[in-house]
Amino acid sequence: MRNRNVLLGCSALLAVAAAYEHSAAEICKGDSDASCTARTVGDSEADETPLLQLRASGNLEADSHANHSYTYEVEKVTAFAALVKFTYCSAAEGVAMSLAATCGSNSDPVAGNKGYCELAGVRIHSSSVRTILMADGDSSKALSGFVGRLVATADKPKVQPGCVFAIRGTWEDTNNYLRNQQIQLVQSEYGDCKECLVHSGYQEVWKLLEHAAENLFDALNCTKQDPLYLIGHSMGGAVATMGMYALKTQGWNIQPSITFSSPHTGNQAFVQELQRLVGGSTDAVAVVRVTLGKDLVPITPRKGDYAFTWPEVYFSSKTDAKAMKLCWNTSCGIAAQSNHCGVGACNDHLANPIAPNDDLAIFKDYTGACVWGLGAASNQNLPKVAQQDASQQMAWMAKAIQPKVAKCDGDWQPAAGSRAVYRTTVVPRLGAPWMNITSASGTSAHLVMAR
């Protein structure tokens, strides 16, 4: 039996604390297998950065390409690219505020709005975001992402409101690289498809994340009936695909989603079963892959009977979002290219014209975007490292932001973005840990967590 105590109580307690006093709180519980950080930001925080005009194309309404049973949803791709970028803040304090500023609403001037979700007809409020930062083995910062709730801002939104789980890609100085190399195809541990084989490493990563994610779903009142999107870049996209399959077999309302520059997840039987579960038939659309240039990662692993999901949105330009093809087979798109380049040879793995600042991971100012909550910078050139290969960019990112693994036992934790302070205590009591939560105003609550 898998360890179901990973992140036990972390986000559930966060929800209780946030409801107990209308402000943000940082509450966590780690065990020998994993550590976590969960944060939310209070409603009163404002973003003062200017509106960034969405520039995915000159005419987004007209910029769609019909093929088969799928039409290119530029509004959805643009919104999800912006959300995925903030996974590379690695659960820093300002993620919730930045998501609200980047994916806000014009009708909500306090939250701010840079326009990336405007045409999709949805927004994220800072109070409806929870972040994850947890260990994988001896790598304390190996896995990160966030769960958020999408709320409609239009009568007929292009993205159905619901919940979204975004998962970060490979991070420097962690065993993510080891997981990427665990390419053996093994039987899926989810569902009843005997022929469904999946990437060993990515299934193991999902097994670590799944209970943490379910706790965060609970914290945001995301039920199995709510539409749920799983998105990610690179390894995060492959793990998101694995998670879609796993959660769908458990009864969650998984929606067709989007991954960016992600490697393979499973064999043809897995792909067809995922499409049947999510879309209703083996040739339905479950995952839309977004790729660029000559990036090697989306065609890996190259050993084994791995299969692509379709369709693929292929960009041939790093800066022109109109230089796009909608592909349905390997004669088109990333697989049709020659002389593919790895992360150590080019920057095609991180560059993308649909993302803020044409990059899926690099920010102009990590402190402003990830800590201060100012959102994605508008009309600013990225650091020079963005012109270097993806490997150098990822090394730069790891130095630019140092994610913290919170230590909660008997310690005072400031609530990110608010004046409240919570003291947490975790000790055995009648076979279950308990926590005292005391706010700066002196009010307190006593919580007992079930194992």
Side-chain angles (χ1 to χ4, degrees), residues 19 22 86 93 111 114 127 185-186 221 330 333 362 385 388 402-403:
H22 190 63
F86 282 95
E93 291 86 341
K114 292 173 177 289
S127 63
L185 282 165
V186 298
N221 196 29
T330 56
I362 296 291
V385 70
Q388 298 178 9
Q402 295 293 326

Side-chain angles (χ1 to χ4, degrees), residues 11-22:
S11 53
L13 285 171
L14 173 60
V16 174
Y20 185 72
E21 178 165 330
H22 190 63

